[in-house]
């Protein structure tokens, strides 16, 4: 049994991770700046092995005390969503920088760290599928959306240096579009958006011409991947894609959602300039190669897209009744 600290623990992936850690008999501290009345994600509040600490990773003394007290540290705190990042690039970057600076100053070799990075660090790469060893091409600093990817990538560099210089066991997971129950709808993520439109019976909106492709990983697969990396010492000091390699265009995704849940709905294409703030750039394709994580841990995603969509739809429908 390990003492686990999860930053961003009140969030979507964090709350699913915490449920699994508690099921596996670990004790968990969730550290998040979300107010208590927003904690509908954390239904384990009554477990004696669970504690919620409200605060920010930028509160150095509080965060350091929590780090000192943990065996396993999962770093998930972040500002997400292209629109929010464009509106708040400085705060977005500071969360990553503050979080990793405290980790570098505080952790010891008996602790272990998981860092939640992102497919956004692949930037404008045209490669498909994306492998972890690719050279990276990010957008220019004048476009605020890249503040998220740059600060995640800086964190990767700092953490991998910590592994090399101080032998601190750690792994970096680059998530590709994780979906599932309780995903925050406010960020404009495509799956919760389209599903809530299908539930409301209003047209499904696709930004751009719908030919851009993505792949979607169910959160329970993503949590399995995180744990398989944390439980396998041969993964230490490495970067691993976490996702699903079933590629689909956003136009076809809308079509699929319509066919599965509400066949009479119209699909509307909306030009980016009508919906996205200045500084937005679309990335046409983003599909992970999962060979590396499979080779190191044996993990591969199990949940197919249709199954993931049905799970998200049912939960969303039940919560919106
Ligand atoms: N969901 C995805 O598809 C996806 C894709 C790529 C990367 N990721 C990464 O995975 C992690 C979890 O993402 P998620 O989807 O659960 O997002 P989420 O927004 O649901 O969770 C992030 C949590 O971080 C908290 N937070 C933000 N700033 C904080 C601060 N200063 N101090 C403490 N807590 C703070 C938020 O309150 C929120 O609860 C993030 O690091 C994200 O960058 C997620």
């Amino acid at each position: 049994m390990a003492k686990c600290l999860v930053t961003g623990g009140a969030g979507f992936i964090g709350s699913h991770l915490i449920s699994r850690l508690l099921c596996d008999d670990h004790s968990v501290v969730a550290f998040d700046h979300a107010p208590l009345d927003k904690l509908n994600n954390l239904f384990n509040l009554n477990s004696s092995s669970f504690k919620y600490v409200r605060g920010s990773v930028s509160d150095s003394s509080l965060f350091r005390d929590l780090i000192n007290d943990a065996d396993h540290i999962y770093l998930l705190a972040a500002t997400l969503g292209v629109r929010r990042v464009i509106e708040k690039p400085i705060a977005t970057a500071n969360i990553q920088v503050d979080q990793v600076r405290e980790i570098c100053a505080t952790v010891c070799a008996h602790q272990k760290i998981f860092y939640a990075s992102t497919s956004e660090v692949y930037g404008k790469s045209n490669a498909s599928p994306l492998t972890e060893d690719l050279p990276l091409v990010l957008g220019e600093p004048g476009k605020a959306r890249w503040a998220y990817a740059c600060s995640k990538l800086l964190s990767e560099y700092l953490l991998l240096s910590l592994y090399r210089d101080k032998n601190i066991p750690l792994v970096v997971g680059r998530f590709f579009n994780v979906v599932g129950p309780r995903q925050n709808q406010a960020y404009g993520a495509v799956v919760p958006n389209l599903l809530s439109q299908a539930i409301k019976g209003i047209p499904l909106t696709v930004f751009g011409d719908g030919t851009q492709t993505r792949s979607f990983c169910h959160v329970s697969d993503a949590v399995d991947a995180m744990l398989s990396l944390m439980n396998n010492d041969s993964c230490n000091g490495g970067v691993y894609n976490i996702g699903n390699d079933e590629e689909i265009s956003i136009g076809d995704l809308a079509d699929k959602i319509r066919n599965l849940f509400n066949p009479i709905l119209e699909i509307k294409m909306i030009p980016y300039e009508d919906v996205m703030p200045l500084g937005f750039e679309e990335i046409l394709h983003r599909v992970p190669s999962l060979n590396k994580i499979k080779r190191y841990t044996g993990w591969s995603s199990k949940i197919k897209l249709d199954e993931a969509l049905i799970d998200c739809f049912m939960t969303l429908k039940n919560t919106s009744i």
Side-chain angles (χ1 to χ4, degrees), residues 1-6 21 26-27 29 66-67 69-75 110-114 227 230-231:
M1 179 180 146
K3 287 199 265 180
C4 303
L5 171 64
V6 181
L21 292 170
H26 300 297
S27 66
V29 172
L66 296 174
I67 295 170
D69 208 30
D71 304 316
H72 291 177
I73 302 165
Y74 294 86
L75 299 172
H110 69 268
Q111 297 172 297
K112 184 151 185 180
I113 296 162
F114 176 92
L227 297 179
M230 284 294 271
N231 292 333

Side-chain angles (χ1 to χ4, degrees), residues 8 11-13 32-33 56-57 76 78 95 117 148 152 175 178 187:
F12 162 51
I13 299 177
D32 199 297
H33 69 176
S56 169
V57 292
L76 272 64
I95 292 168
S117 188
Y148 175 68
K152 289 279 188 181
F175 290 117
V178 181
Y187 308 158

Side-chain angles (χ1 to χ4, degrees), residues 248-268:
I248 185 165
S249 74
I250 301 303
D252 287 349
L253 176 71
D255 211 32
K256 189 184 263 300
I257 287 176
R258 173 171 64 180
N259 292 337
L260 280 170
F261 306 117
N262 202 340
I264 58 166
L265 289 180
E266 181 194 350
I267 296 178
K268 264 194 189 163

